[in-house]
Amino acid sequence: MRESRGRCVRPEEARAWEALVAAARRTVADGLVVGTSGNVSVRVGDTVLVTPSGVPYDRLTPDDVTGVDPDGRQVLGTLVPTSELPMHLAVYRHTDARAVVHTHAVHATAVSTLVPELPLVHYMAAALGGPVRVAPYATYGTDELAENMLRALDGRSGCLLRNHGTLTYGSSLDQAYDRTAQLEWMCRLWLTASSVPGLTPSLLTEGQVEEVAQRLRGYGQRG
């Protein structure tokens, strides 16, 4: 175990950090963020591992583990945690999330400037709990933004942040990331469909999306 601020890094935290860094790098590779924008976190026991502020993801190493307790006190590492820490901690305090992904995805951010809620253009909205809401704008890194986000997340596992980006969470890092990718894809789909002159996209009803939500509960492999 490596020495770090406060205490040693536990084996499960080292493994989670490796997965977190891989996910953060993937947000860049997939075009969901530019530079050091966006951030990723994962909860391991009572410790929340987070990407550090202003550090390019390709420079992060196993020795850069950055972690805080549920109250935001740094317990691992020497790098300053992401400035969006209030949002991440708010999700962990109010949901059963084990991972959070925040991006500045282009299509999703564009949609956040146009509508108060992503139109139901595709049934995969069910994977996020229903119609995806847009949280009102607030300065990044503030408690106000975290509070706006929580209201938009009510009954949902993802939301848009007006003039800012996306936030999704899940029971695993893979699930949180998949929800982010699905959200960005749905936003791109709606923008593409709604840009055709003289035509308006057909939309699903909330009842149709709820029917899909029921089916998704049994989706995938078992055992």
Side-chain angles (χ1 to χ4, degrees):
M1 294 184 291
R2 290 178 275 288
E3 289 292 335
S4 187
R5 176 183 292 175
R7 60 172 176 78
C8 293
V9 179
R10 300 173 181 131
E12 62 271 25
E13 293 168 339
R15 291 191 294 270
W17 176 255
E18 182 179 1
L20 180 150
V21 171
R25 289 173 178 168
R26 187 180 171 191
T27 63
V28 178
D30 290 351
L32 299 176
V33 303
V34 175
T36 61
S37 63
N39 26 79
V40 180
S41 70
V42 61
R43 183 168 185 167
V44 182
D46 289 331
T47 301
V48 176
L49 304 180
V50 295
T51 47
S53 178
V55 180
Y57 300 138
D58 60 358
R59 297 182 189 174
L60 293 175
T61 73
D63 293 325
D64 294 324
V65 177
T66 305
V68 301
D69 67 15
D71 294 321
R73 290 185 290 265
Q74 190 157 1
V75 295
L76 290 173
T78 57
L79 296 175
V80 176
T82 173
S83 58
E84 296 290 12
L85 187 60
M87 278 205 304
H88 289 258
L89 293 181
V91 173
Y92 291 118
R93 290 187 189 116
H94 293 88
T95 75
D96 58 357
R98 306 303 296 179
V100 175
V101 176
H102 165 53
T103 79
H104 293 178
V106 173
H107 299 92
T109 305
V111 170
S112 80
T113 69
L114 299 171
V115 292
E117 182 177 277
L118 174 62
L120 287 174
V121 71
H122 196 274
Y123 65 77
M124 280 307 292
L128 288 96
V132 178
R133 307 182 189 100
V134 179
Y137 180 80
T139 305
Y140 80 92
T142 62
D143 290 335
E144 181 185 4
L145 177 58
E147 291 166 3
N148 291 349
M149 172 212 65
L150 282 178
R151 285 191 291 271
L153 280 178
D154 185 25
R156 306 288 185 267
S157 56
C159 70
L160 299 176
L161 308 171
R162 190 173 301 284
N163 297 88
H164 187 154
T166 70
L167 185 136
T168 60
Y169 70 86
S171 59
S172 67
L173 198 49
D174 284 344
Q175 186 181 62
Y177 194 94
D178 182 66
R179 287 171 171 169
T180 295
Q182 293 285 357
L183 178 53
E184 167 66 356
W185 180 84
M186 285 190 291
C187 288
R188 183 178 181 183
L189 174 63
W190 181 71
L191 288 171
T192 301
S194 61
S195 68
V196 179
L199 297 176
T200 301
S202 63
L203 301 177
L204 302 174
T205 66
E206 290 196 30
Q208 288 171 320
V209 172
E210 176 56 31
E211 183 178 354
V212 172
Q214 297 293 335
R215 293 178 66 86
L216 285 177
R217 292 188 178 99
Y219 179 77
Q221 302 298 314
R222 298 171 179 78

